[in-house]
Amino acid sequence: MLACDSANKLSFNRFISNGDLVIVYERHDNMKPVTVSENSVLQNRFGVFKHSDWIGKPFGSKVFSNKGGFVYLLAPTPELWTLVLSHRTQILYIADISFVIMYLEIVPGCLVMESGTGSGSLTTSLARAVAPTGHVYTFDFHEQRAASAREDFERTGLSSLISVNVRDIQDEGFSDEFAGLADAVFLDLPQPWLAIPSAAKMLKQDGTLCSFSPCIEQVQRSCETLQTSFTDIRTFEVLLRTYEIREERMEGISGEGNVANGSLPCKRRQRSDGSNMLSSSSSVSTVMARPNGEARGHTGYLTFARLKCLS
Amino acid sequence: MSSNIESTNPNLNSRLTSEGCSVLLDINDGDRLVFARLAAAAKLKIGNKSCSLQPLIGCSYGSLFQVETGPDGSLLARVTPAVQGNITEEKRDNQLNVESRDNRTLIDNNKAQSLTGEDIQAMKSQGARGDEIIEALIANSATFEKKTSFSQEKYRLRKQKKYAPKVLLRRPVARSICEAYFRKYPAKIRFLRMDTLSLLLSMANVSCHSDILVVDMVGGLLTGSVAERLGGTGFVCNSYLGTAPYSMDIVRIFNFSDEICKRIVRSPISDLLIQKESPEQIIHHDDVCNMESLTNNQVSTSVRVDEISDPSGSEISEQGAENVENINIPAIRVSKSTKAGERAQQETINLWKENGFSSLIIAAPDLDTWTLVRDLLPLLSNSAPFAIYHQYLQPLATCMHNLQVGKMAIGLQITEPWLREYQVLPSRTHPCMQMSAFGGYILSGTKICSS
């Protein structure tokens, strides 16, 4: 997924080869991760796609099925991965992920600790941010989930940047071997306040912490616990509103009776089936945008803090 | 000389300040934000006092300082925050109990404080510390005891800001720089909010070893943020229409190492669009480049090294005094920043033409979005993502429509981020009273092979 070695870099001269992970794009809300394997086929409502037809094509190609249906083959990115990964838990989405990475000041070379791993949605973006020289240590108390996450990171080619460990951070805290080494800690736990003292121990001076909690009561308790050794404690909520656009032809009045302002005629549309008055109408095409009617109304509260600087 | 440059080049992840490094000073919890370069001779004016920045050199970012009166005038003294103990435990218990006091007995007749201005002046001249003056003000306030504990705290904070101002030493990174500009000087970064900026970086998959094409009309904030994520690998190509590059002053506020600065290059869009060039054309371009350096001293690559030995820190305090509520960017050029924004070499441009850019980010509200995207998109590798920022919806809607019709990209989406901060306090948690109602729009998508 990352261009850590330059052979992997996206390029006009980089072609899909056997063993590559591709994101098969049907529509923006219908994508699927597929590992290319010479003798395999992909079957969906558009027909049967032979992987062998894909090999040697550039990423971003449109490929056809036996029935003439088509999909696009995209190079995987953490954003696309977040949309296609298998949900073993509730996951973080792009708005929260982006904000967390920027606010935690994660840059190449950073050592980042995360608990829990969950489905690895954030972990993938953390790995991108610390690459090529940093590392992400991620912890989950669920053995099977940790194993699945490890498999995913193997598949996305990130396993050299991420260590997945099985550990109950709320109960045991982080391991002391990382004390004072972490640039940033991210917590997504049901009772984050239990892990905060240990997180403080892991952080470098002025290191950053983020706790993601869906409920305000969790935030309340976390913030109280943070007071002890953290400063700059701030809580945010970040959401996205998406827009749909469409081009519409709308009738307007032309000729001497025209309204001077060109953008007004759209109001007259309903009257198009009638009177002589509109016989001289002309049709104008406009691209319009409006917010989508439904959106995610809440994901979680993001509480950030900075380790107090004592020396 | 080279060792001198080394020593003024803290690496990006350094958590200690050093002489010549850039810092963000947060004065009284964000009342004033000042970008400064640390130098022994640099001074910062706070209120009517002028303090040397010398004590800040060699400290951890995150250190807190307080203005105190010393034998030679005001100075910034390091304050170590108390690890929370019993006092605050008690306070917290009080906060949890239902407050019985209220404002029924408060009368606004300006007679509550019995200490006069002269009294305070006298205390000061006898060398009283800020904290002592605050305690005296509280002791002489007839109404302090009757206030609720919340308003007592507010009172204390207000007096602290006046009599014992605090200076917090902050690391200038994409987040802190963006937030500081957004709060104090938003027009300069075209109202690009930090959550919007963070989305641009994600949506364009900015990652190590990538070659990112940017059109940055937000003062260099975008270019700097991309370079920070590249960490000295790949390239950020800051491109511009015509012959005059856009300002990228903000890049100099980041403490970039030489390694990172080298990865920030500029190129006119026209150079990226034309086919591979003959040698004569290359020479011609070098000429143009030199002329630009002379005419645009903000990004000049011709800054001489001897300017390092002349820490012009005094400029900071002057600016600070004149313009208290603004971000004061010292017009100091230190050699380490001079490498950022060199003209892209022809070999590099040729490589981009051969391989394509890894992604594209545009924050150029003054340029026509659609024609810009139409011309720049073919420069991207296939399957490369892109993200375009705009304060207005219509240019993005038009651009998205045209991309759809031309089958140039998929996964197209216009999004608008929404960010709300909360006050979290025992029994008093609610969204902050003031918020930014608008963070701009982003059009994102993925380029596909043209059929």
Side-chain angles (χ1 to χ4, degrees):
Chain A
M1 184 180 295
L2 297 181
C4 278
D5 85 81
S6 49
N8 257 330
K9 198 162 167 170
L10 207 57
S11 153
F12 289 130
N13 304 309
R14 165 101 162 87
F15 302 101
I16 295 168
S17 56
N18 199 22
D20 275 346
L21 173 67
V22 298
I23 307 294
V24 175
Y25 176 104
E26 286 180 32
R27 277 165 41 140
H28 74 276
D29 55 357
N30 198 346
M31 288 182 253
K32 194 181 174 191
V34 174
T35 303
V36 179
S37 164
E38 226 165 342
N39 303 314
S40 295
V41 292
L42 168 77
Q43 207 155 1
N44 65 14
R45 62 199 164 114
F46 299 118
V48 179
F49 296 82
K50 283 198 266 180
H51 288 200
S52 53
D53 290 348
W54 302 352
I55 294 171
K57 290 220 162 73
F59 283 100
S61 290
K62 189 181 192 177
V63 291
F64 295 89
S65 74
N66 58 340
K67 292 190 203 151
F70 65 86
V71 295
Y72 292 95
L73 304 178
L74 301 182
T77 65
E79 284 62 46
L80 292 173
W81 184 252
T82 288
L83 298 174
V84 300
L85 57 79
S86 48
H87 288 210
R88 299 178 283 267
T89 55
Q90 180 63 254
I91 66 162
L92 260 74
Y93 290 97
I94 186 165
D96 290 306
I97 292 173
S98 310
F99 196 61
V100 165
I101 301 223
M102 167 152 273
Y103 209 103
L104 290 181
E105 300 173 1
I106 299 173
V107 295
C110 280
L111 191 156
V112 180
M113 306 184 79
E114 178 197 32
S115 183
T117 311
S119 308
S121 170
L122 173 70
T123 323
T124 305
S125 287
L126 290 173
R128 171 177 65 190
V130 303
T133 47
H135 203 86
V136 181
Y137 293 91
T138 181
F139 302 85
D140 205 298
F141 60 30
H142 196 288
E143 197 143 347
Q144 206 187 344
R145 216 146 53 208
S148 306
R150 233 177 261 130
E151 278 167 35
D152 277 358
F153 302 142
E154 202 67 56
R155 193 176 183 200
T156 48
L158 300 174
S159 47
S160 64
L161 294 163
I162 305 169
S163 302
V164 187
N165 296 287
V166 180
R167 192 177 172 100
D168 187 342
I169 298 299
Q170 270 182 203
D171 262 17
E172 306 168 63
F174 292 98
S175 150
D176 277 342
E177 61 179 306
F178 300 106
L181 295 179
D183 294 283
V185 174
F186 179 84
L187 302 176
D188 180 358
L189 297 169
Q191 294 167 290
W193 54 91
L194 296 176
I196 285 169
S198 164
K201 224 196 257 181
M202 298 303 115
L203 284 169
K204 292 179 183 168
Q205 277 206 38
D206 202 38
T208 48
L209 175 136
C210 175
S211 173
F212 174 91
S213 299
C215 305
I216 200 73
E217 289 80 3
Q218 295 168 299
V219 174
Q220 194 84 49
R221 277 192 83 166
S222 302
C223 285
E224 275 174 47
T225 312
L226 284 168
Q227 299 287 341
T228 314
S229 42
F230 287 85
T231 173
D232 287 12
I233 303 160
R234 294 173 74 184
T235 301
F236 295 92
E237 195 181 5
V238 58
L239 292 171
L240 283 185
R241 173 182 249 184
T242 56
Y243 286 77
E244 59 176 44
I245 64 152
R246 61 190 300 164
E247 182 186 35
E248 279 212 53
R249 301 195 76 78
M250 288 171 293
E251 285 186 66
I253 308 163
S254 62
E256 48 285 310
N258 201 355
V259 190
N261 191 334
S263 61
L264 284 177
C266 43
K267 297 275 181 196
R268 318 252 162 179
R269 201 174 164 222
Q270 305 93 312
R271 294 215 236 142
S272 58
D273 53 281
S275 56
N276 298 341
M277 186 189 129
L278 287 172
S279 60
S280 61
S281 73
S282 69
S283 146
V284 191
S285 140
T286 324
V287 177
M288 298 180 293
R290 68 156 200 178
N292 281 319
E294 267 187 49
R296 209 171 270 129
H298 180 63
T299 55
Y301 299 101
L302 293 167
T303 300
F304 295 94
R306 223 169 240 290
L307 192 65
K308 270 183 199 162
C309 201
L310 296 170
S311 65
Chain B
M1 188 184 76
S2 63
S3 66
N4 189 4
I5 294 170
E6 288 285 329
S7 67
T8 58
N9 265 342
N11 76 55
L12 182 70
N13 289 334
S14 174
R15 294 189 171 272
L16 288 180
T17 62
S18 58
E19 176 134 21
C21 79
S22 157
V23 295
L24 171 58
L25 302 176
D26 177 330
I27 300 157
N28 279 338
D29 296 322
D31 282 1
R32 203 178 137 204
L33 297 164
V34 179
F35 288 108
R37 257 185 213 288
L38 292 188
K43 285 194 182 291
L44 174 74
K45 196 145 189 191
I46 301 168
N48 53 4
K49 301 181 188 96
S50 179
C51 305
S52 163
L53 293 182
Q54 168 76 47
L56 277 57
I57 299 174
C59 290
S60 304
Y61 285 106
S63 302
L64 187 66
F65 297 83
Q66 196 161 347
V67 179
E68 278 176 16
T69 320
D72 315 312
S74 300
L75 61 95
L76 286 168
R78 180 77 191 271
V79 192
T80 312
V83 180
Q84 211 159 54
N86 299 331
I87 312 156
T88 36
E89 288 288 333
E90 200 176 285
K91 197 164 91 189
R92 206 183 302 163
D93 287 347
N94 281 340
Q95 286 177 334
L96 288 174
N97 293 335
V98 179
E99 183 71 53
S100 56
R101 284 166 290 190
D102 56 29
N103 62 3
R104 74 183 70 209
T105 60
L106 295 186
I107 303 156
D108 187 10
N109 60 2
N110 230 358
K111 284 182 184 157
Q113 182 56 254
S114 55
L115 226 54
T116 64
E118 289 91 67
D119 294 338
I120 295 168
Q121 206 50 52
M123 282 182 77
K124 276 187 186 170
S125 56
Q126 283 159 29
R129 297 181 49 219
D131 292 343
E132 292 163 359
I133 297 175
I134 296 167
E135 288 311 317
L137 284 167
I138 290 171
N140 288 284
S141 164
T143 51
F144 186 82
E145 287 306 320
K146 293 183 194 133
K147 288 174 192 274
T148 67
S149 60
F150 314 133
S151 59
Q152 282 181 353
E153 194 154 330
K154 274 191 192 167
Y155 180 88
R156 201 180 279 276
L157 201 64
R158 213 165 49 235
K159 298 301 170 194
Q160 174 261 308
K161 285 180 177 184
K162 188 162 177 198
Y163 296 102
K166 289 202 165 107
V167 177
L168 188 57
L169 186 57
R170 282 278 168 245
R171 208 151 59 112
V173 293
R175 205 270 309 165
S176 58
I177 295 171
C178 184
E179 198 179 9
Y181 268 93
F182 192 81
R183 269 164 71 178
K184 302 292 184 185
Y185 214 177
K188 177 124 196 209
I189 56 164
R190 312 305 284 263
F191 303 89
L192 181 60
R193 211 168 55 193
M194 56 175 169
D195 53 323
T196 315
L197 175 60
S198 78
L199 277 163
L200 290 175
L201 299 173
S202 290
M203 286 167 164
N205 190 26
V206 176
S207 47
C208 64
H209 296 293
S210 307
D211 296 332
I212 317 283
L213 178 61
V214 305
V215 187
D216 177 341
M217 297 177 90
V218 291
L221 176 63
L222 179 60
T223 308
S225 305
V226 171
E228 188 181 86
R229 293 275 174 107
L230 292 177
T233 67
F235 279 104
V236 47
C237 176
N238 177 303
S239 64
Y240 51 93
L241 213 54
T243 51
Y246 311 128
S247 153
M248 48 183 236
D249 293 0
I250 294 174
V251 169
R252 290 180 297 119
I253 297 174
F254 291 81
N255 276 317
F256 284 150
S257 63
D258 281 353
E259 206 42 61
I260 293 179
C261 288
K262 264 187 254 167
R263 302 300 176 152
I264 303 171
V265 294
R266 315 176 90 135
S267 173
I269 288 171
S270 55
D271 277 16
L272 301 173
L273 293 178
I274 49 172
Q275 295 306 305
K276 282 190 184 176
E277 297 184 354
S278 60
E280 301 92 89
Q281 280 173 302
I282 298 168
I283 292 159
H284 165 75
H285 278 299
D286 282 347
D287 289 347
V288 175
C289 184
N290 288 337
M291 278 162 58
E292 277 164 16
S293 317
L294 292 172
T295 53
N296 189 345
N297 59 15
Q298 294 288 6
V299 291
S300 170
T301 52
S302 63
V303 175
R304 278 168 316 208
V305 182
D306 56 355
E307 286 187 30
I308 314 166
S309 56
D310 173 34
S312 30
S314 53
E315 287 180 62
I316 304 169
S317 63
E318 279 164 26
Q319 292 190 6
E322 283 163 15
N323 214 345
V324 175
E325 288 304 320
N326 272 347
I327 295 170
N328 310 292
I329 301 134
I332 308 167
R333 265 154 278 143
V334 180
S335 75
K336 67 167 180 179
S337 316
T338 57
K339 276 201 181 130
E342 294 254 30
R343 180 83 167 226
Q345 296 188 349
Q346 193 57 46
E347 303 94 85
T348 317
I349 294 180
N350 288 343
L351 270 177
W352 290 331
K353 283 176 183 165
E354 199 178 306
N355 295 316
F357 285 99
S358 325
S359 67
L360 165 71
I361 310 179
I362 299 176
D366 296 342
L367 305 180
D368 178 56
T369 308
W370 160 240
T371 49
L372 191 63
V373 171
R374 183 195 62 200
D375 288 354
L376 293 184
L377 214 56
L379 302 175
L380 304 192
S381 302
N382 294 311
S383 195
F386 58 88
I388 304 148
Y389 165 77
H390 211 291
Q391 274 175 268
Y392 290 89
L393 185 54
Q394 196 57 47
L396 296 186
T398 307
C399 181
M400 174 162 159
H401 177 73
N402 291 340
L403 287 170
Q404 277 173 340
V405 170
K407 293 191 168 45
M408 295 167 75
I410 54 172
L412 288 163
Q413 191 159 49
I414 295 177
T415 46
E416 180 197 351
W418 179 90
L419 181 70
R420 173 176 253 181
E421 186 165 3
Y422 285 76
Q423 165 186 302
V424 181
L425 288 170
S427 314
R428 284 172 295 149
T429 294
H430 58 69
C432 291
M433 297 301 184
Q434 291 295 321
M435 69 182 272
S436 151
F438 183 59
Y441 301 103
I442 300 171
L443 168 61
S444 61
T446 304
K447 186 210 170 189
I448 51 172
C449 301
S450 45
S451 35

